[in-house]
Amino acid sequence: MTQPLASWLKQRQKQLLQRWIALLEPEHVAAGSVSSSDEELREDGATVHPDEQRVMLDAIYSGFIHAANGSSDQLDKSLRLLRVFRNHGGEDELPRHLALIAQFRRISWDVLATEQATKDPDWYTRGVELDHIIEYATVKLSESWVSLAATTTRELLETRLLVESLTRDAEASDRTTLHVSTINEISRGLASTFDSASQIKIVGEKLLRALETASVAIWQSDLAAGCLRIVGRWEPSVQPDEMSIPDWIIRSDAADDLIACAFRTGEMQIDAHVSPEAQGPWYHEPFVVLAMPLISQASVQGVIVLQELNGQVLNARAEQEFIRSAASQAAIAFESARLYEEVRSFNAVLEQRIAERTHELQVERDTLETLNAIALEISSTLDEHLLMQHSLSAIARLVGAEHGSISLLERETEHLVDRAVLGRTEGVGYTRFPIGRGIIGWVAQQRRAVLAPDVAHDPRWVELPEDEEHGRKQRGGALIAVPLIAHHELQGVLVLSHDQVGFFNEEHQRLVEAAANQIATGIYNALIYQQLEQDLLRRYEMQQIQQQAVSQSQAILQSLSDGVIVCDSFGSVLTVNPAAERILERPIDELLIWNMPELFRRLLARRAEELPVEDLISEPRDAQGNPRFFSATIQIGTRVVSISLNPVLSNEKHTPMGALAVFRDITREVESDRLKTEFIGTVSHELRTPMTSIKGFTQLLVMGSLGPVNETQREFLGIIQTNAERMIAIINDLLDITKIETGTVELDLRSLHLAEALSNVVMELQPKIQERTHELSISIPPGLPLVRADQRRFNQILYNLLSNAVKYTHRGGQIALEAHEVTQDAVPEALREGLKPGRYVQIDIRDTGVGIAKDELERIFERFYRTENPLKVEAGGTGLGLSLVRPLVQLFGGRVWVESILGEGSTFCMVLPAI
């Protein structure tokens, strides 16, 4: 609100307040003094003086000024004091209070109208702001009234809507006030009785009188029968006492009936063009029908149905909201009446149960006192033998038993062995009963108590022989045997007996059973205590061993030459050994304050993704269930450091606990490998010159260019020539490997036809194939795409693969070469990394040779590695062929792998990019 309104109200306070008080009680304002006749009675019987009313109006006016300044607290307090205007108890106060506020609004607008005549430019703005305050006061009065009437939130909204309509429409104001008054009467009437018929009558008569429709009917649901029954019907032309209720029933699932539709949907149904054929006998043609569901706690209890000839009343939104509010009040009252009847019906049962429960509580009190005494006895010690002796004596005194014993279950033999006997501390542990034998064995087996009035007539009784040392055994009389069960485990059996037949009764049995639970718990606790002592001793010993192991592990970690850093599941560094400090050239204190991902980002920069710590901790295993592993090589100063990252898994559940990074200084290894590569390259180059000379001169000698040679000399020269070629081939392979490792290999990639490249290789290998009598089959489908590769290197790859198939297949074997177009999905998942999507040509070279063991499938691609097989010596070779095949295929953008079964043959698969 703005300041001008507050100032305006203060300036005209006397004028407006006097006119307001004059409208309220004109006869009281005229007199200067107030007589006793002017006093009014409050609800509680005390008198209300007119001056008090003036004070209240003054307080409300002050509240309006505070509200104009933006604070509504003073107005809220003053509005709550309006209850003093109640003339007698039970009066409807809301209409009077609303009228009081409306009077102030009219007075204010009269004054504003005079200001309009004086052409005050702010008169309308003040009027709008004042209406906002009046509207706020009206809403506050409505909310207060709803709260005092204990109505639901839904009624509060409806009442507030009705009250707000009073301020917007003068004509609707009177009607709304009447509705509110009717709602109040319905509420008071419903609250005054819990009789369902009276409540139905109140709702129907009040609605008929307020709305003046042609008829009002109330239907309630019968959930058991799945239908709606009429329970009340009223018409203006018929007296309520003369109106009979017809026996009308509507199925709740009737498709087009308006009453059934309102019940199913829980929403108001109104129809001005009702189809009479779809309705029941309740409908009067051509009336407009409004069906309002009775909803309480989100459940539809019934339907209120109103009919009117022209629908003028039923189509008005204000009348519909009034009906909805009345229906809500009625639904709550009907539900309260139903609950009241249920409560009344429960009272008789409750009184009976209270009497029964009182008797049970008395028995329980006596039992609890007894159990408390026993509990005090058995809780005094954790010694198993003392506990059983004390508890047995206590329960025997309470029930008057002459004899008693406690037998515990021996887990190893499944026998019940007596551990405590009443009146004896020695000579126990000799009486044994297997599970299921005798009364004791039966109780242990069935886990049920036994009350035997006379054991001599019980078929389960087993008579024990006389014992001169410990006295005679029982041969007759009453006996109680109960199982000792704690934490669902059988501990033993408690037995009490008396020489008198029928001495024990059911009360004794219940008491002994209750005490047995305490005794079993005490025995269980004593046994647990003994186990805990043993466990603590074992844990102490294990802790000593563990501490020793930890010390040893720490010493080993500190003495490692490789750097080790361990982090937890959040990546925080836990442990750093001195070697890591030396290799990383960073102090341990600095390494400990970092987390592992941050350390790798500092060391590897953009290559940090090669060691994904968070990914490794969240998913420590691959699709095959094996621990994942990451590695990288970095340069730190003059050092070359190899980093390996592994997950740390728990021994029991293999859950991730963190990660372990190992840093190894491989500077010397890298330098050695470089020197070795340079040495091999230098030696190979140096060997090629003399070998070329040897090969050339040998060819000249064989051809006779340097003079005639005999057959023996020609044979020896042939051997020299063959071995010279082998030497040159080995040297070429070494040079190729060196070039590949150093990245200096030169490739002339072009489009190649597989058949053309294969023809040259097959022609070169044909003598060896014929020599070993192999059967070679080639399958190249028409239209196979060209491959992208270096021609000389591609021939070298095909030659090495086919040559291996020829050499490692027994004579008379079969060799097959097949080619077909595939996608990258044909490559094993482990080899797909870095493979570009697209078309590929797959070449499979299959043989029926000696095969390769599963654990050697990857090693055959290593340099100089040759598998152990029957043809190893006969085949010869250096083990360099396959070590050249894989890197060359990868340089072409393809992949190569092998599938083999030992003793059955191998299949080398190769994919190359298709053009």
Side-chain angles (χ1 to χ4, degrees), residues 47 94 118 157 165 192 195 205 215 309 318 441 581 597 610 658-659 689 757:
T47 61
L94 181 61
T118 60
L157 177 60
S165 67
S192 64
D195 181 66
E205 291 179 353
S215 68
L309 183 60
E581 178 184 27
E610 298 180 21
T689 301

Side-chain angles (χ1 to χ4, degrees), residues 24-25 28 34-57 81-89 91 96:
L24 177 65
E25 296 289 350
H28 291 164
V34 180
S35 63
S36 60
S37 63
D38 294 329
E39 296 178 346
E40 297 178 350
L41 290 177
R42 300 189 187 185
E43 185 179 357
D44 55 2
T47 61
V48 180
H49 199 279
D51 289 341
E52 293 182 7
Q53 297 181 353
R54 296 187 185 99
V55 172
M56 294 304 153
L57 294 180
L81 297 176
L82 280 176
R83 289 182 58 84
V84 301
F85 286 98
R86 297 181 68 172
N87 294 330
H88 54 79
E91 180 186 4
R96 188 176 182 187

